[in-house]
Coordinates of all heavy atoms in Angstrom, one line a residue:
M277 N -109.7 76.3 -70.5 CA -109.6 74.9 -70.1 C -108.4 74.8 -69.1 O -107.3 75.1 -69.5 CB -109.4 74.0 -71.3 CG -109.2 72.6 -71.0 SD -109.4 71.6 -72.5 CE -108.1 70.5 -72.4
P278 N -108.6 74.3 -67.9 CA -107.6 74.2 -66.9 C -106.6 73.0 -67.2 O -107.0 72.1 -67.9 CB -108.3 73.9 -65.6 CG -109.7 73.4 -65.9 CD -110.0 74.0 -67.3
L279 N -105.4 73.2 -66.8 CA -104.4 72.2 -67.0 C -104.6 71.0 -66.1 O -105.0 71.2 -64.9 CB -103.0 72.8 -66.8 CG -102.5 73.9 -67.7 CD1 -101.2 74.4 -67.2 CD2 -102.5 73.3 -69.1
S280 N -104.4 69.8 -66.6 CA -104.5 68.6 -65.7 C -103.2 68.5 -65.0 O -102.2 69.1 -65.1 CB -104.7 67.4 -66.6 OG -103.6 67.1 -67.4
S281 N -103.2 67.5 -64.0 CA -102.0 67.3 -63.2 C -100.8 66.9 -64.0 O -99.7 67.2 -63.7 CB -102.3 66.3 -62.1 OG -102.6 65.1 -62.6
S282 N -101.0 66.1 -65.0 CA -99.9 65.6 -65.9 C -99.3 66.8 -66.7 O -98.1 66.9 -66.9 CB -100.3 64.5 -66.8 OG -101.3 64.9 -67.7
D283 N -100.2 67.7 -67.0 CA -99.7 68.9 -67.7 C -98.8 69.8 -66.8 O -97.8 70.3 -67.3 CB -100.9 69.8 -68.3 CG -101.6 69.1 -69.4 OD1 -101.1 68.2 -70.1 OD2 -102.8 69.4 -69.6
W284 N -99.3 69.9 -65.6 CA -98.5 70.7 -64.6 C -97.1 70.0 -64.4 O -96.1 70.7 -64.2 CB -99.2 70.9 -63.3 CG -100.3 71.9 -63.4 CD1 -101.6 71.8 -63.4 CD2 -100.1 73.3 -63.5 NE1 -102.3 73.0 -63.5 CE2 -101.3 74.0 -63.5 CE3 -99.0 74.2 -63.5 CZ2 -101.5 75.3 -63.6 CZ3 -99.1 75.5 -63.6 CH2 -100.4 76.1 -63.6
I285 N -97.1 68.7 -64.2 CA -95.9 68.0 -64.0 C -94.9 68.2 -65.2 O -93.7 68.4 -65.0 CB -96.1 66.5 -63.7 CG1 -96.9 66.3 -62.4 CG2 -94.9 65.7 -63.8 CD1 -97.4 64.9 -62.1
T286 N -95.4 68.1 -66.4 CA -94.6 68.3 -67.6 C -94.1 69.7 -67.7 O -92.9 69.9 -68.0 CB -95.4 68.0 -68.9 OG1 -95.9 66.6 -68.8 CG2 -94.5 68.1 -70.1
L287 N -95.0 70.7 -67.4 CA -94.6 72.1 -67.4 C -93.5 72.4 -66.3 O -92.5 73.0 -66.6 CB -95.7 73.0 -67.1 CG -95.5 74.5 -67.1 CD1 -95.1 75.0 -68.5 CD2 -96.7 75.2 -66.6
A288 N -93.6 71.8 -65.1 CA -92.7 72.0 -64.1 C -91.3 71.3 -64.4 O -90.3 71.9 -64.2 CB -93.2 71.5 -62.7
S289 N -91.4 70.1 -64.8 CA -90.1 69.4 -65.1 C -89.4 70.0 -66.3 O -88.2 70.1 -66.3 CB -90.4 67.9 -65.3 OG -91.2 67.7 -66.5
G290 N -90.1 70.4 -67.3 CA -89.6 71.0 -68.5 C -88.9 72.4 -68.1 O -87.8 72.7 -68.5
S291 N -89.6 73.1 -67.3 CA -89.1 74.4 -66.8 C -87.8 74.2 -66.0 O -86.9 75.0 -66.2 CB -90.1 75.1 -66.0 OG -91.3 75.4 -66.7
A292 N -87.8 73.2 -65.2 CA -86.6 72.9 -64.4 C -85.4 72.5 -65.3 O -84.3 73.0 -65.0 CB -86.9 71.8 -63.4
L293 N -85.7 71.8 -66.3 CA -84.6 71.4 -67.2 C -84.1 72.6 -68.0 O -82.9 72.7 -68.1 CB -85.1 70.3 -68.2 CG -85.4 68.9 -67.6 CD1 -86.1 68.0 -68.6 CD2 -84.0 68.3 -67.2
W294 N -85.0 73.4 -68.5 CA -84.6 74.7 -69.2 C -83.8 75.5 -68.2 O -82.8 76.1 -68.6 CB -85.7 75.4 -69.8 CG -86.2 74.8 -71.1 CD1 -87.3 74.1 -71.3 CD2 -85.5 74.8 -72.3 NE1 -87.4 73.7 -72.6 CE2 -86.3 74.1 -73.2 CE3 -84.3 75.4 -72.7 CZ2 -85.9 73.9 -74.6 CZ3 -83.9 75.1 -74.1 CH2 -84.7 74.5 -74.9
A295 N -84.2 75.7 -67.0 CA -83.5 76.5 -66.0 C -82.1 76.0 -65.8 O -81.1 76.7 -65.7 CB -84.3 76.6 -64.7
L296 N -82.0 74.7 -65.6 CA -80.7 74.0 -65.5 C -79.8 74.3 -66.7 O -78.6 74.6 -66.5 CB -80.9 72.6 -65.2 CG -79.6 71.7 -65.0 CD1 -78.9 72.2 -63.7 CD2 -79.9 70.3 -64.8
A297 N -80.3 74.1 -67.8 CA -79.6 74.3 -69.1 C -79.1 75.8 -69.2 O -78.1 76.0 -69.7 CB -80.4 73.9 -70.3
L298 N -79.9 76.7 -68.8 CA -79.6 78.1 -69.0 C -79.0 78.8 -67.8 O -78.6 80.0 -67.8 CB -80.9 78.9 -69.3 CG -81.6 78.4 -70.6 CD1 -83.0 79.1 -70.7 CD2 -80.7 78.7 -71.8
Y299 N -78.8 78.1 -66.6 CA -78.2 78.7 -65.5 C -76.9 79.3 -65.7 O -76.7 80.5 -65.3 CB -78.2 77.6 -64.3 CG -77.6 78.2 -63.1 CD1 -78.3 79.1 -62.3 CD2 -76.3 77.9 -62.7 CE1 -77.7 79.6 -61.1 CE2 -75.7 78.4 -61.5 CZ -76.4 79.2 -60.8 OH -75.9 79.8 -59.6
I300 N -75.9 78.6 -66.2 CA -74.6 79.1 -66.3 C -74.5 80.2 -67.4 O -74.0 81.3 -67.1 CB -73.6 78.0 -66.7 CG1 -73.5 77.1 -65.4 CG2 -72.2 78.5 -67.1 CD1 -72.6 75.9 -65.6
P301 N -75.2 80.1 -68.6 CA -75.1 81.2 -69.5 C -75.7 82.5 -68.9 O -75.3 83.6 -69.2 CB -75.8 80.7 -70.7 CG -75.8 79.3 -70.6 CD -75.8 78.9 -69.2
L302 N -76.8 82.3 -68.1 CA -77.5 83.5 -67.7 C -76.9 84.1 -66.4 O -77.0 85.3 -66.2 CB -79.0 83.2 -67.3 CG -79.9 82.9 -68.5 CD1 -81.2 82.4 -68.0 CD2 -80.0 84.1 -69.4
S303 N -76.1 83.3 -65.7 CA -75.5 83.8 -64.5 C -74.2 84.6 -64.8 O -73.7 85.3 -64.0 CB -75.2 82.7 -63.5 OG -74.3 81.7 -64.0
G304 N -73.6 84.3 -66.0 CA -72.4 85.0 -66.3 C -72.6 86.6 -66.4 O -71.7 87.3 -65.9
P305 N -73.6 87.1 -67.0 CA -73.7 88.5 -67.1 C -74.1 89.3 -65.8 O -74.3 90.5 -65.8 CB -74.9 88.7 -68.2 CG -75.0 87.5 -68.9 CD -74.5 86.4 -67.9
L306 N -74.2 88.5 -64.8 CA -74.5 89.2 -63.5 C -73.3 89.9 -62.8 O -73.4 90.3 -61.7 CB -75.1 88.2 -62.5 CG -76.5 87.6 -62.9 CD1 -77.0 86.5 -62.0 CD2 -77.5 88.8 -62.9
G307 N -72.3 90.0 -63.6 CA -71.1 90.7 -63.1 C -71.3 92.2 -62.7 O -70.7 92.7 -61.8
R308 N -72.2 92.8 -63.5 CA -72.6 94.2 -63.2 C -73.3 94.3 -61.8 O -73.0 95.2 -61.0 CB -73.5 94.7 -64.2 CG -73.7 96.2 -64.2 CD -74.4 96.7 -65.4 NE -75.5 97.5 -65.0 CZ -76.5 97.8 -65.7 NH1 -76.6 97.3 -66.9 NH2 -77.5 98.6 -65.2
L309 N -74.1 93.3 -61.5 CA -74.8 93.3 -60.2 C -73.7 93.0 -59.1 O -73.7 93.6 -58.1 CB -75.9 92.2 -60.1 CG -76.5 92.0 -58.8 CD1 -77.3 93.3 -58.3 CD2 -77.5 90.8 -58.9
E310 N -72.8 92.1 -59.4 CA -71.7 91.8 -58.5 C -70.9 93.1 -58.1 O -70.5 93.4 -57.0 CB -70.9 90.7 -59.0 CG -69.8 90.2 -58.0 CD -69.0 89.1 -58.6 OE1 -69.2 88.7 -59.8 OE2 -68.2 88.6 -57.8
A311 N -70.6 93.8 -59.2 CA -69.8 95.0 -59.0 C -70.5 96.1 -58.2 O -70.0 96.7 -57.3 CB -69.4 95.6 -60.4
E312 N -71.9 96.2 -58.5 CA -72.6 97.1 -57.7 C -72.7 96.7 -56.2 O -72.7 97.5 -55.3 CB -74.0 97.3 -58.3 CG -74.0 98.1 -59.6 CD -75.4 98.3 -60.2 OE1 -76.3 98.4 -59.4 OE2 -75.5 98.5 -61.4
L313 N -72.9 95.4 -56.0 CA -73.0 94.9 -54.6 C -71.7 95.1 -53.8 O -71.7 95.3 -52.6 CB -73.4 93.4 -54.6 CG -74.8 93.1 -54.9 CD1 -75.1 91.6 -55.0 CD2 -75.8 93.7 -53.8
S314 N -70.6 95.0 -54.5 CA -69.3 95.1 -53.9 C -69.1 96.6 -53.3 O -68.3 96.8 -52.4 CB -68.1 94.7 -54.8 OG -68.0 95.6 -55.9
G315 N -69.8 97.5 -53.9 CA -69.7 98.9 -53.5 C -70.5 99.2 -52.3 O -70.5 100.3 -51.7
T316 N -71.4 98.3 -51.9 CA -72.3 98.5 -50.8 C -71.6 98.0 -49.5 O -70.6 97.4 -49.6 CB -73.6 97.7 -50.9 OG1 -73.4 96.3 -51.0 CG2 -74.4 98.2 -52.2
G317 N -72.2 98.2 -48.4 CA -71.7 97.8 -47.1 C -72.1 96.5 -46.7 O -72.0 96.1 -45.5
L318 N -72.7 95.7 -47.6 CA -73.2 94.3 -47.3 C -72.0 93.4 -47.0 O -70.9 93.5 -47.7 CB -74.1 93.8 -48.4 CG -75.3 94.6 -48.6 CD1 -76.0 94.0 -49.8 CD2 -76.2 94.6 -47.5
S319 N -72.2 92.4 -46.2 CA -71.1 91.4 -45.9 C -71.0 90.5 -47.1 O -71.9 90.4 -48.0 CB -71.6 90.5 -44.7 OG -72.7 89.7 -45.0
E320 N -69.9 89.9 -47.3 CA -69.6 89.1 -48.4 C -70.5 87.9 -48.6 O -71.0 87.5 -49.7 CB -68.1 88.6 -48.4 CG -67.7 87.9 -49.7 CD -66.2 87.6 -49.7 OE1 -65.4 88.4 -49.2 OE2 -65.9 86.6 -50.3
S321 N -70.9 87.3 -47.4 CA -71.9 86.2 -47.5 C -73.2 86.6 -48.0 O -73.9 85.9 -48.8 CB -71.9 85.5 -46.2 OG -72.5 86.3 -45.2
L322 N -73.7 87.8 -47.6 CA -75.0 88.3 -48.1 C -74.9 88.6 -49.5 O -75.8 88.4 -50.3 CB -75.4 89.5 -47.2 CG -76.7 90.1 -47.5 CD1 -77.8 89.0 -47.3 CD2 -77.0 91.3 -46.6
Q323 N -73.8 89.2 -50.0 CA -73.6 89.5 -51.4 C -73.7 88.2 -52.2 O -74.3 88.2 -53.3 CB -72.3 90.2 -51.6 CG -72.2 91.6 -51.1 CD -70.8 92.2 -51.3 OE1 -70.0 91.8 -52.1 NE2 -70.5 93.3 -50.6
T324 N -73.0 87.2 -51.7 CA -73.0 85.9 -52.4 C -74.4 85.3 -52.5 O -74.9 84.8 -53.5 CB -72.1 84.9 -51.8 OG1 -70.8 85.5 -51.7 CG2 -72.0 83.6 -52.5
T325 N -75.1 85.4 -51.4 CA -76.5 84.9 -51.3 C -77.4 85.6 -52.3 O -78.2 85.0 -53.1 CB -77.1 85.0 -49.9 OG1 -76.2 84.3 -49.0 CG2 -78.5 84.5 -49.8
I326 N -77.2 86.9 -52.4 CA -78.0 87.7 -53.3 C -77.7 87.4 -54.8 O -78.6 87.2 -55.6 CB -77.8 89.3 -53.1 CG1 -78.4 89.7 -51.8 CG2 -78.4 90.1 -54.2 CD1 -78.1 91.1 -51.3
L327 N -76.4 87.2 -55.1 CA -76.0 86.8 -56.4 C -76.6 85.4 -56.8 O -77.0 85.3 -57.9 CB -74.5 86.8 -56.6 CG -73.9 88.2 -56.7 CD1 -72.3 88.1 -56.6 CD2 -74.3 88.9 -58.0
V328 N -76.4 84.5 -55.9 CA -76.9 83.1 -56.2 C -78.4 83.1 -56.4 O -78.9 82.5 -57.4 CB -76.5 82.1 -55.1 CG1 -77.2 80.8 -55.3 CG2 -75.0 81.9 -55.2
L329 N -79.1 83.8 -55.5 CA -80.6 83.8 -55.6 C -81.1 84.5 -56.9 O -82.0 84.1 -57.6 CB -81.2 84.4 -54.4 CG -81.2 83.6 -53.1 CD1 -81.8 84.4 -52.0 CD2 -81.9 82.3 -53.3
S330 N -80.4 85.6 -57.2 CA -80.8 86.4 -58.4 C -80.6 85.5 -59.7 O -81.4 85.5 -60.6 CB -80.1 87.7 -58.5 OG -78.7 87.6 -58.5
S331 N -79.4 84.9 -59.7 CA -79.1 84.0 -60.9 C -80.1 82.8 -61.0 O -80.5 82.4 -62.1 CB -77.7 83.6 -60.9 OG -77.4 82.8 -59.8
L332 N -80.5 82.2 -59.8 CA -81.4 81.1 -59.9 C -82.8 81.6 -60.3 O -83.5 80.9 -61.1 CB -81.5 80.5 -58.4 CG -80.4 79.5 -58.1 CD1 -80.5 79.1 -56.6 CD2 -80.3 78.4 -59.0
L333 N -83.2 82.7 -59.8 CA -84.5 83.3 -60.1 C -84.6 83.7 -61.6 O -85.6 83.4 -62.3 CB -84.9 84.5 -59.3 CG -85.3 84.2 -57.8 CD1 -85.4 85.5 -57.0 CD2 -86.5 83.3 -57.8
L334 N -83.5 84.2 -62.1 CA -83.4 84.6 -63.6 C -83.5 83.3 -64.4 O -84.3 83.3 -65.4 CB -82.1 85.3 -63.8 CG -81.9 85.8 -65.3 CD1 -83.0 86.7 -65.8 CD2 -80.5 86.4 -65.5
A335 N -82.7 82.3 -64.0 CA -82.7 81.0 -64.8 C -84.1 80.4 -64.7 O -84.6 79.8 -65.8 CB -81.6 80.1 -64.3
A336 N -84.7 80.4 -63.6 CA -86.1 79.8 -63.4 C -87.1 80.5 -64.3 O -87.9 79.9 -64.9 CB -86.5 79.8 -62.0
A337 N -87.1 81.8 -64.3 CA -88.0 82.6 -65.1 C -87.8 82.4 -66.5 O -88.8 82.1 -67.3 CB -87.9 84.1 -64.7
I338 N -86.6 82.4 -67.0 CA -86.3 82.1 -68.4 C -86.6 80.7 -68.8 O -87.1 80.4 -69.9 CB -84.8 82.5 -68.8 CG1 -84.6 84.0 -68.5 CG2 -84.5 82.1 -70.2 CD1 -85.4 84.9 -69.4
G339 N -86.3 79.8 -67.8 CA -86.7 78.3 -68.0 C -88.2 78.2 -68.2 O -88.6 77.4 -69.1
L340 N -89.0 78.8 -67.4 CA -90.5 78.7 -67.5 C -90.9 79.3 -68.9 O -91.7 78.7 -69.5 CB -91.1 79.5 -66.3 CG -92.6 79.4 -66.3 CD1 -93.2 78.0 -66.2 CD2 -93.2 80.3 -65.2
I341 N -90.4 80.5 -69.2 CA -90.8 81.1 -70.5 C -90.4 80.2 -71.7 O -91.1 80.0 -72.6 CB -90.1 82.5 -70.6 CG1 -90.8 83.4 -69.6 CG2 -90.3 83.1 -72.0 CD1 -90.0 84.8 -69.4
S342 N -89.2 79.6 -71.6 CA -88.7 78.7 -72.7 C -89.6 77.5 -72.8 O -90.0 77.1 -73.9 CB -87.3 78.3 -72.4 OG -86.4 79.4 -72.4
Q343 N -90.0 76.9 -71.6 CA -90.8 75.7 -71.6 C -92.2 76.1 -72.2 O -92.8 75.3 -73.0 CB -90.9 75.1 -70.2 CG -91.9 74.0 -70.1 CD -91.5 72.8 -71.0 OE1 -90.4 72.6 -71.3 NE2 -92.5 71.9 -71.3
I344 N -92.8 77.2 -71.8 CA -94.1 77.6 -72.3 C -94.0 77.8 -73.8 O -94.9 77.4 -74.5 CB -94.6 78.8 -71.5 CG1 -95.0 78.4 -70.1 CG2 -95.8 79.4 -72.3 CD1 -95.3 79.6 -69.2
A345 N -93.0 78.5 -74.3 CA -92.8 78.7 -75.7 C -92.7 77.5 -76.5 O -93.3 77.3 -77.5 CB -91.7 79.7 -75.9
M346 N -91.8 76.5 -76.0 CA -91.6 75.3 -76.7 C -92.9 74.4 -76.6 O -93.2 73.7 -77.5 CB -90.5 74.5 -76.1 CG -89.1 75.2 -76.3 SD -88.8 75.3 -78.1 CE -87.3 76.3 -78.0
S347 N -93.6 74.5 -75.4 CA -94.8 73.7 -75.3 C -95.9 74.2 -76.3 O -96.7 73.5 -76.9 CB -95.4 73.8 -73.9 OG -94.5 73.1 -73.0
W348 N -95.9 75.5 -76.4 CA -96.9 76.1 -77.4 C -96.6 75.8 -78.8 O -97.5 75.4 -79.6 CB -96.9 77.6 -77.2 CG -97.8 78.3 -78.1 CD1 -99.2 78.4 -78.1 CD2 -97.5 79.1 -79.3 NE1 -99.7 79.1 -79.1 CE2 -98.6 79.5 -79.9 CE3 -96.2 79.4 -79.9 CZ2 -98.6 80.3 -81.0 CZ3 -96.2 80.1 -81.0 CH2 -97.4 80.5 -81.6
A349 N -95.3 75.8 -79.1 CA -94.9 75.5 -80.5 C -94.9 74.1 -80.8 O -95.3 73.7 -82.0 CB -93.5 76.1 -80.8
L350 N -94.5 73.2 -79.9 CA -94.3 71.8 -80.3 C -95.1 70.8 -79.5 O -95.3 69.7 -79.8 CB -92.8 71.4 -80.0 CG -91.8 72.2 -80.8 CD1 -90.4 71.9 -80.3 CD2 -91.9 72.0 -82.3
G351 N -95.6 71.3 -78.3 CA -96.4 70.4 -77.4 C -95.6 70.2 -76.1 O -94.4 70.3 -76.2
P352 N -96.3 70.0 -75.0 CA -95.6 69.9 -73.7 C -94.5 68.9 -73.6 O -93.4 69.2 -73.1 CB -96.7 69.6 -72.8 CG -98.0 70.0 -73.4 CD -97.7 69.9 -74.9
S353 N -94.7 67.7 -74.2 CA -93.7 66.6 -74.0 C -92.4 67.0 -74.8 O -91.3 66.7 -74.4 CB -94.3 65.3 -74.5 OG -95.3 64.9 -73.7
W354 N -92.7 67.5 -76.0 CA -91.5 67.9 -76.9 C -90.7 69.1 -76.2 O -89.5 69.1 -76.3 CB -92.0 68.3 -78.2 CG -92.3 67.1 -79.1 CD1 -93.5 66.6 -79.4 CD2 -91.3 66.2 -79.7 NE1 -93.4 65.5 -80.1 CE2 -92.0 65.2 -80.4 CE3 -90.0 66.2 -79.8 CZ2 -91.5 64.2 -81.1 CZ3 -89.4 65.2 -80.5 CH2 -90.1 64.2 -81.1
G355 N -91.4 70.0 -75.6 CA -90.7 71.1 -74.9 C -89.8 70.6 -73.8 O -88.7 71.0 -73.6
A356 N -90.4 69.7 -73.0 CA -89.6 69.1 -71.9 C -88.4 68.3 -72.5 O -87.3 68.3 -71.9 CB -90.4 68.2 -71.0
S357 N -88.6 67.6 -73.6 CA -87.6 66.7 -74.2 C -86.5 67.7 -74.7 O -85.3 67.3 -74.6 CB -88.1 65.9 -75.4 OG -89.1 65.0 -74.8
L358 N -86.8 68.8 -75.3 CA -85.8 69.7 -75.8 C -85.0 70.3 -74.6 O -83.8 70.6 -74.7 CB -86.4 70.8 -76.6 CG -86.8 70.4 -78.0 CD1 -87.5 71.6 -78.7 CD2 -85.6 70.0 -78.8
G359 N -85.7 70.5 -73.5 CA -85.0 71.0 -72.3 C -83.9 70.0 -71.8 O -82.8 70.3 -71.5
L360 N -84.3 68.7 -71.9 CA -83.4 67.6 -71.5 C -82.2 67.6 -72.5 O -81.1 67.5 -72.1 CB -84.1 66.3 -71.5 CG -83.2 65.1 -71.2 CD1 -82.6 65.2 -69.8 CD2 -84.0 63.8 -71.3
M361 N -82.5 67.8 -73.8 CA -81.4 67.8 -74.8 C -80.5 69.0 -74.5 O -79.3 68.9 -74.7 CB -82.0 67.9 -76.2 CG -82.8 66.6 -76.6 SD -81.8 65.2 -76.6 CE -80.8 65.5 -78.0
A362 N -81.0 70.1 -74.1 CA -80.2 71.3 -73.8 C -79.3 71.0 -72.6 O -78.1 71.4 -72.7 CB -81.1 72.5 -73.6
V363 N -79.8 70.4 -71.6 CA -79.0 70.0 -70.4 C -77.9 69.1 -70.9 O -76.7 69.2 -70.5 CB -79.9 69.4 -69.4 CG1 -79.0 68.8 -68.2 CG2 -80.8 70.4 -68.7
L364 N -78.2 68.0 -71.6 CA -77.2 67.0 -72.0 C -76.2 67.6 -73.0 O -75.0 67.3 -72.8 CB -77.9 65.8 -72.6 CG -78.8 65.0 -71.7 CD1 -79.5 63.9 -72.5 CD2 -78.0 64.4 -70.6
S365 N -76.6 68.4 -73.9 CA -75.6 69.0 -74.8 C -74.7 70.0 -74.0 O -73.5 70.1 -74.3 CB -76.3 69.8 -75.9 OG -77.0 70.9 -75.4
G366 N -75.3 70.7 -73.0 CA -74.4 71.6 -72.2 C -73.4 70.8 -71.4 O -72.2 71.2 -71.4
A367 N -73.8 69.6 -70.9 CA -72.9 68.8 -70.2 C -71.8 68.2 -71.2 O -70.6 68.1 -70.8 CB -73.6 67.6 -69.5
F368 N -72.2 67.8 -72.3 CA -71.3 67.3 -73.3 C -70.3 68.3 -73.7 O -69.1 68.1 -73.7 CB -72.1 66.9 -74.6 CG -71.2 66.6 -75.7 CD1 -70.5 65.3 -75.8 CD2 -71.0 67.4 -76.8 CE1 -69.6 65.0 -76.8 CE2 -70.2 67.1 -77.8 CZ -69.5 66.0 -77.9
W369 N -70.7 69.5 -74.0 CA -69.7 70.6 -74.4 C -68.8 71.0 -73.2 O -67.6 71.3 -73.4 CB -70.4 71.8 -74.9 CG -71.0 71.6 -76.3 CD1 -72.3 71.5 -76.6 CD2 -70.3 71.3 -77.5 NE1 -72.5 71.2 -78.0 CE2 -71.3 71.1 -78.5 CE3 -68.9 71.2 -77.8 CZ2 -70.9 70.8 -79.8 CZ3 -68.6 70.9 -79.1 CH2 -69.5 70.7 -80.1
S370 N -69.3 70.9 -72.0 CA -68.5 71.2 -70.9 C -67.4 70.2 -70.7 O -66.2 70.5 -70.5 CB -69.4 71.3 -69.6 OG -68.6 71.4 -68.5
L371 N -67.8 68.9 -70.8 CA -66.8 67.8 -70.7 C -65.8 67.8 -71.9 O -64.6 67.6 -71.7 CB -67.5 66.5 -70.7 CG -68.3 66.2 -69.4 CD1 -69.1 64.9 -69.5 CD2 -67.3 66.1 -68.2
A372 N -66.3 68.2 -73.1 CA -65.4 68.3 -74.2 C -64.4 69.4 -74.1 O -63.3 69.2 -74.4 CB -66.2 68.4 -75.5
S373 N -64.8 70.5 -73.6 CA -63.9 71.6 -73.4 C -62.9 71.3 -72.4 O -61.7 71.7 -72.5 CB -64.6 72.9 -73.1 OG -65.2 72.9 -71.8
R374 N -63.3 70.6 -71.3 CA -62.2 70.2 -70.3 C -61.2 69.2 -70.8 O -60.0 69.4 -70.6 CB -63.0 69.5 -69.1 CG -63.7 70.5 -68.2 CD -64.3 69.9 -67.0 NE -65.1 70.8 -66.3 CZ -65.9 70.5 -65.3 NH1 -65.9 69.2 -64.9 NH2 -66.6 71.4 -64.7
R375 N -61.7 68.3 -71.7 CA -60.7 67.4 -72.3 C -59.8 68.1 -73.2 O -58.6 67.8 -73.3 CB -61.5 66.3 -73.0 CG -60.6 65.3 -73.6 CD -61.4 64.1 -74.2 NE -60.6 63.3 -75.0 CZ -60.0 62.2 -74.6 NH1 -60.1 61.8 -73.3 NH2 -59.2 61.5 -75.3
E376 N -60.3 69.1 -73.9 CA -59.5 69.9 -74.9 C -58.4 70.7 -74.1 O -57.3 70.8 -74.6 CB -60.4 70.8 -75.7 CG -59.7 71.5 -76.8 CD -60.6 72.4 -77.6 OE1 -61.4 71.8 -78.4 OE2 -60.6 73.6 -77.4
Q377 N -58.8 71.2 -72.9 CA -57.8 71.9 -72.1 C -56.8 71.1 -71.6 O -55.6 71.5 -71.4 CB -58.6 72.7 -71.0 CG -59.5 73.8 -71.4 CD -60.3 74.4 -70.3 OE1 -60.2 73.9 -69.2 NE2 -61.0 75.4 -70.6
D378 N -57.1 69.8 -71.3 CA -56.1 68.8 -70.7 C -55.1 68.4 -71.8 O -54.0 68.0 -71.4 CB -56.8 67.6 -70.2 CG -57.6 67.9 -68.9 OD1 -57.4 69.0 -68.3 OD2 -58.5 67.1 -68.6
D379 N -55.5 68.4 -73.0 CA -54.6 68.0 -74.1 C -53.5 69.0 -74.4 O -53.4 70.1 -74.2 CB -55.3 67.6 -75.4 CG -56.2 66.4 -75.2 OD1 -55.9 65.6 -74.3 OD2 -57.2 66.2 -76.0

């Protein structure tokens, strides 16, 4: 049974939310790629572009997998809602840690 347009919109928006929520935790371990790129003769701007694109693609792929898994387990709307909750909780913890550092 093919997906309807509303199913595709929910899948895309939920995947984007999960990718946003997982971008920073997933981009952290890319230090090994950064170290390997620094040993090449590539310019610094090209190295930065490669690192940013690879972290975005990784987050998007994991976001899509997370949305599909949550949609399968809970339903598409719930999967997208959990993605939104992950984004908001990440923002909350980020702001809370900054406030803690200021004190």
Side-chain angles (χ1 to χ4, degrees):
M277 180 166 134
L279 295 174
S280 68
S281 62
S282 64
D283 291 337
W284 281 109
I285 291 170
T286 303
L287 181 65
S289 63
S291 298
L293 288 169
W294 280 108
L296 180 63
L298 298 171
Y299 175 74
I300 292 175
L302 290 173
S303 63
L306 292 173
R308 191 168 130 202
L309 175 62
E310 183 177 8
E312 288 183 26
L313 284 174
S314 66
T316 64
L318 299 173
S319 68
E320 189 171 324
S321 63
L322 187 57
Q323 290 178 18
T324 303
T325 302
I326 291 171
L327 283 171
V328 168
L329 288 176
S330 61
S331 61
L332 284 173
L333 288 173
L334 179 64
I338 297 299
L340 180 63
I341 291 168
S342 299
Q343 175 62 23
I344 290 172
M346 293 297 171
S347 294
W348 177 75
L350 303 171
S353 298
W354 282 102
S357 296
L358 283 176
L360 178 62
M361 295 297 289
V363 169
L364 293 176
S365 67
F368 170 77
W369 288 113
S370 174
L371 290 173
S373 68
R374 286 184 186 171
R375 180 173 171 95
E376 187 177 286
Q377 290 173 359
D378 290 342
D379 291 340

